[in-house]
Amino acid sequence: MGLPARATVTPGMQKKMVWAGSNLGSYGMAEEALGKLADQAISLGRIRRQLEAVGQERIAERDQAIAALKSMPLPERRVGLVGQKAPALAVVMMDGGRYQRRDHFGCPPTDDSAPAKSHWRESKVGCLLSMMSETFESDPCPDIPDNIANAGAIREFAKMAEITGPNEECSSLDIESSPTVDKVREEQEYEPPKRLSCEVVATSHSSDEFGWMLEARARQLNFQAAPRQAYVADGAKTNWRIQRAHFPRATPIADLMHALAYAWSAADVADEPDMFPKWAQLIWQGDVSEVIGHLRALQPNPQRPDVNPVPADRLSKIERSLTYFEKNCSHMNYPDYRRQGLPLTSARIESTIKLINRRIKGTEKFWGKETSESILQLCADYLSDSDPMTRFWARYHANQTGSNAYKNDSKICNV
């Protein structure tokens, strides 16, 4: 059986190359898939160059929308689009993943004592969800479900919280790696809002630039005109800064699962029976100030140094949890969020980051800066329910006519 013939890059083949390079685990897997499924011999180098070129085109379109948004007066940015339907409930979620870049390869440290610059970078990912839910006169679920209060997944969250601080949240991929998390959410007695559609934004740029990207895409979806708006994230300060700057009308909500994880971590060293179920119920009911009071009581008393219920080597968990609740308590009014029909967890963004990380994260994967931005953009496009790539290809190929289309495609492949 002979090898597949070397492919001519037609418009249809372009689509296959970019899809395979963006969605499969590596360029090598994309090359193999095209050979076996499309019977075309296309090298991984050609796939990579095609993906980079198309990714840069999509980034240019994204940047145009951001530039238009930045040119608007602030009052205009805060109102919705006339004549376009807005979702009944607009929800923004954001978080960060991790991947490796080779920008600094070969660069010496800044001084003799400084370590070499890390190759790890953070990807910023956002989900813009159109949802629907009921609203209630009072809290529809005042008691925390047993399967949440006693879930083993909370213990896993807590272990990750021990590695990171209260302002530097752990990787969503690491948190979501256990199937226990999804099982907990599927079995919740409380019925969360129903997702209608989800659009994804992803970048390697700074958090400030990411905020503009989120707002620009949200404006295209007319989120600003939604009668109910929510912004769900973990406790990192960057998340709330973006919320205040770009989504001030959205109700800020600290992810419930992270809150319970910090409570579990502290209860684990308190040596008091049934402490976590008590704190979990208080958090569920929005009585976070009472949890804060309990945590403060576990700290050393300077006036009575001989009275210290927690050994010194275990106090860091108490202090970490206390800091988290003190800084995020204003975003933990969970009874009111349930009454308004708003989501309590950032499950969607966490699972989305896991999907993106399957493509870009790996011990053997080191990305160039421009290539990583291209692939993050395309991964986000293919994960979006509106299928923006179908509209992009229509625009892209409309700019090419007759035989020049193939000439231009060939040129693109060899950039």
Side-chain angles (χ1 to χ4, degrees):
M1 184 175 181
L3 294 174
R6 179 175 171 83
T8 299
V9 183
T10 64
M13 184 53 62
Q14 278 185 315
K15 296 178 184 180
K16 292 181 174 67
M17 291 167 67
V18 174
W19 184 93
S22 302
N23 288 280
L24 301 182
S26 67
Y27 291 124
M29 292 177 66
E31 177 185 29
E32 182 179 5
L34 291 172
K36 291 184 178 295
L37 301 178
D39 198 29
Q40 298 288 343
I42 302 178
S43 70
L44 60 87
R46 294 181 79 193
I47 296 171
R48 176 180 56 78
R49 290 190 293 270
Q50 184 72 79
L51 184 146
E52 290 174 354
V54 171
Q56 289 302 310
E57 293 271 356
R58 285 292 294 130
I59 290 168
E61 292 182 342
R62 179 192 74 190
D63 291 346
Q64 285 181 347
I66 295 171
L69 178 67
K70 289 182 176 180
S71 68
M72 292 180 186
L74 183 59
E76 185 178 348
R77 285 172 47 198
R78 297 294 184 244
V79 298
L81 302 173
V82 178
Q84 180 175 327
K85 185 178 180 180
L89 171 58
V91 179
V92 179
M93 298 182 182
M94 66 161 289
D95 207 340
R98 300 269 284 175
Y99 73 104
Q100 298 179 103
R101 278 217 320 248
R102 59 174 182 265
D103 306 29
H104 69 289
F105 281 12
C107 297
T110 54
D111 57 62
D112 293 339
S113 61
K117 188 176 181 181
S118 173
H119 46 264
W120 286 103
R121 297 289 186 275
E122 183 183 29
S123 59
K124 287 83 174 175
V125 182
C127 285
L128 301 166
L129 297 125
S130 297
M131 310 186 82
M132 69 175 188
S133 64
E134 294 184 58
T135 59
F136 305 89
E137 292 295 329
S138 59
D139 185 356
C141 186
D143 295 322
I144 187 170
D146 290 339
N147 59 322
I148 296 179
N150 299 306
I154 304 299
R155 186 185 301 274
E156 296 176 27
F157 271 60
K159 290 177 180 178
M160 293 305 303
E162 293 174 15
I163 299 174
T164 60
N167 297 317
E168 183 184 357
E169 294 304 318
C170 48
S171 164
S172 296
L173 176 62
D174 294 329
I175 286 177
E176 287 291 303
S177 61
S178 170
T180 312
V181 177
D182 292 331
K183 187 174 186 295
V184 168
R185 286 166 177 151
E186 289 173 1
E187 295 177 355
Q188 287 185 15
E189 297 173 19
Y190 166 67
E191 185 66 29
K194 181 180 179 181
R195 186 198 74 152
L196 300 178
S197 65
C198 176
E199 299 299 300
V200 180
V201 177
T203 185
S204 61
H205 292 335
S206 69
S207 57
D208 290 339
E209 293 175 276
F210 179 56
W212 285 102
M213 294 177 199
L214 278 177
E215 184 181 346
R217 187 70 184 107
R219 182 169 181 78
Q220 293 172 342
L221 301 169
N222 208 18
F223 270 32
Q224 287 80 357
R228 288 180 293 152
Q229 302 175 28
Y231 183 100
V232 190
D234 60 38
K237 293 185 293 185
T238 298
N239 298 339
W240 308 126
R241 186 175 70 247
I242 291 176
Q243 182 267 323
R244 291 189 298 270
H246 297 279
F247 302 96
R249 290 186 56 208
T251 300
I253 301 174
D255 174 62
L256 173 67
M257 301 299 280
H258 281 81
L260 293 176
Y262 278 98
W264 191 312
S265 179
D268 187 49
V269 300
D271 289 332
E272 294 186 29
D274 300 326
M275 179 61 75
F276 173 73
K278 295 176 184 177
W279 286 352
Q281 177 65 18
L282 289 171
I283 292 168
W284 182 263
Q285 293 179 335
D287 296 327
V288 180
S289 59
E290 190 168 345
V291 176
I292 291 174
H294 292 171
L295 291 170
R296 286 174 177 167
L298 293 173
Q299 290 187 305
N301 187 341
Q303 297 178 346
R304 301 184 63 187
D306 56 322
V307 179
N308 182 7
V310 181
D313 60 345
R314 304 169 75 182
L315 279 174
S316 60
K317 293 184 179 181
I318 302 293
E319 294 170 352
R320 185 183 295 111
S321 299
L322 178 59
T323 299
Y324 181 86
F325 286 114
E326 287 178 336
K327 291 189 175 182
N328 293 284
C329 60
S330 61
H331 306 146
M332 295 181 178
N333 190 357
Y334 299 115
D336 190 51
Y337 307 150
R338 291 190 292 273
R339 184 184 61 79
Q340 296 182 58
L342 305 180
L344 305 182
T345 71
S346 56
R348 174 58 54 175
I349 185 63
E350 291 162 358
S351 60
T352 299
I353 290 177
K354 180 165 67 173
L355 292 174
I356 292 177
N357 279 354
R358 285 176 178 171
R359 178 62 186 97
I360 68 169
K361 185 177 180 180
T363 56
E364 77 290 353
K365 295 180 181 178
F366 292 87
W367 299 91
K369 185 175 182 180
E370 289 189 0
T371 305
S372 66
E373 187 65 14
S374 291
I375 202 162
L376 283 168
Q377 175 64 44
L378 292 170
C379 283
D381 285 339
Y382 284 115
L383 288 171
S384 296
D385 289 339
S386 67
D387 192 15
M389 287 304 294
T390 294
R391 297 190 300 276
F392 166 78
W393 286 119
R395 295 190 300 271
Y396 185 78
H397 291 132
N399 292 328
Q400 304 177 17
T401 58
S403 61
N404 286 335
Y406 295 97
K407 180 179 179 181
N408 289 342
D409 289 348
S410 178
K411 183 178 179 180
I412 287 172
C413 285
N414 291 283
V415 169

